[in-house]
């Protein structure tokens, strides 16, 4: 869920296209329904340059309390502003994760925040200290 939406806006990463969708959750009926589908971040150009083909894709996503999204994709972890603009990429190859699929990420949003990234290779976890805002 988007941090500024009171759990009324949902984000979904499409694994093999790299598109992150934003939906509005309609809670007016007995079952919540995702409506108003729109692009939050278009990572198709990243997937088109993907050296690992169909074996990997976009996967994990986490929002920082500031609204910044962290999205795992082939070759790195993308940092995306709350408005959907790419701010940059953390190249995980520099951390001994050459040619692996980044699978999930998590932010320990505490006084000393850390970014954790896992990979498809067993027993690989990267922990990076983030700058405080």
């Amino acid at each position: 869920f988007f941090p500024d939406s009171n759990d009324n806006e949902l984000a979904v990463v499409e694994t093999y296209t790299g598109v992150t969708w934003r939906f509005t959750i309609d809670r007016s009926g007995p079952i919540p329904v995702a409506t108003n589908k729109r692009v939050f971040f278009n990572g198709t150009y990243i997937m088109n340059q993907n050296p690992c083909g169909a074996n990997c894709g976009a996967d994990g996503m986490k929002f920082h309390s500031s609204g910044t999204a962290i999205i795992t994709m082939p070759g790195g972890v993308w940092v995306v502003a709350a408005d959907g603009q790419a701010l940059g990429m953390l190249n995980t190859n520099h951390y001994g994760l050459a040619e692996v699929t980044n699978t999930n990420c998590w932010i320990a949003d505490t006084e000393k925040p850390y970014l954790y990234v896992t990979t498809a290779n067993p027993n690989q976890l990267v922990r990076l200290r983030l700058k405080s805002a």
Side-chain angles (χ1 to χ4, degrees), residues 57-70:
D59 193 4
M61 177 177 51
K62 175 69 176 152
F63 283 96
H64 185 267
S65 59
S66 67
T68 301
I70 309 294

Side-chain angles (χ1 to χ4, degrees), residues 43-115:
T44 54
Y45 63 96
I46 300 163
M47 299 306 294
N48 291 338
Q49 299 171 4
N50 180 2
C52 55
N55 294 326
C56 64
D59 193 4
M61 177 177 51
K62 175 69 176 152
F63 283 96
H64 185 267
S65 59
S66 67
T68 301
I70 309 294
I71 304 171
T72 60
M73 298 186 92
V77 178
W78 282 84
V79 181
V80 180
D83 66 359
Q85 296 298 310
L87 298 175
M89 182 192 74
L90 170 64
N91 184 342
T92 52
N93 292 340
H94 293 300
Y95 298 94
L97 303 178
E99 298 186 25
V100 300
T101 301
N102 301 299
T103 54
N104 284 297
C105 57
W106 183 68
I107 299 171
D109 200 2
T110 60
E111 185 178 318
K112 295 181 180 177
Y114 286 92
L115 169 65

